[in-house]
Amino acid sequence: MKATSQTIQQIERALRKIAAKYPQGREDLALTDIHLQVKADSGELLAFNDDDEELTRCVVEQWMDNGDEDFYEEITPVLRQCIQNMKDTLENLSLLKPYSFVLVDEDKETLCDLYLVDDETVIVDGELLKGLDEDLDDFLKKLLEE
């Protein structure tokens, strides 16, 4: 799914509203992750903290009435790109590090980690770690053969 410019604007507006809840420079840092929930039938994008308090919501018109089986796989790169576009703001929220942006389903079960912010580590895409298990297995096999 190619996101329209309107879709990008709507998502980034929602991310700015989240950032406004945790402005940079506050001394009372919150301990939470940001949970993003998208409802394919209504196109709603909702954001919650760890206490299930709603931070913001908006309707992404392009996502309304979407019946695609791979809907979440299609929107994940769009959400990641919007977060990446705003990384300077989102990496400096008044949240205790590490914190992450997580895509959740309607039961609030984690579908994927979208973005992890830590003082020394930033993971934008889970694909960065893809193949790590295979590399570790190969390394251990070679070590045992020697």
Side-chain angles (χ1 to χ4, degrees), residues 126-145:
E127 293 296 310
L128 294 174
L129 300 178
K130 187 175 183 179
L132 184 61
D133 288 339
E134 292 86 11
D135 291 343
L136 183 57
D137 287 343
D138 290 344
F139 173 76
L140 292 174
K141 283 179 189 175
K142 287 179 184 176
L143 188 63
L144 291 174
E145 290 173 358

Side-chain angles (χ1 to χ4, degrees), residues 29-92:
L29 301 180
L31 176 61
T32 191
D33 290 318
I34 306 299
H35 304 268
L36 300 177
Q37 180 183 59
V38 178
K39 297 182 179 181
D41 56 343
S42 65
E44 280 185 296
L45 168 64
L46 298 99
F48 300 93
N49 63 18
D50 284 342
D51 296 323
D52 285 333
E53 295 172 334
E54 187 176 307
L55 301 173
T56 191
R57 75 171 49 211
C58 71
V59 174
V60 179
E61 293 173 21
Q62 184 181 7
W63 295 346
M64 292 175 69
D65 299 320
N66 191 310
D68 293 346
E69 286 184 26
D70 55 349
F71 174 71
Y72 289 108
E73 289 82 14
E74 290 181 8
I75 66 166
T76 296
V78 175
L79 292 169
R80 283 190 174 129
Q81 184 59 52
C82 290
I83 292 169
Q84 182 66 30
N85 292 349
M86 297 184 60
K87 74 180 211 139
D88 291 340
T89 300
L90 299 177
E91 288 180 2
N92 294 300

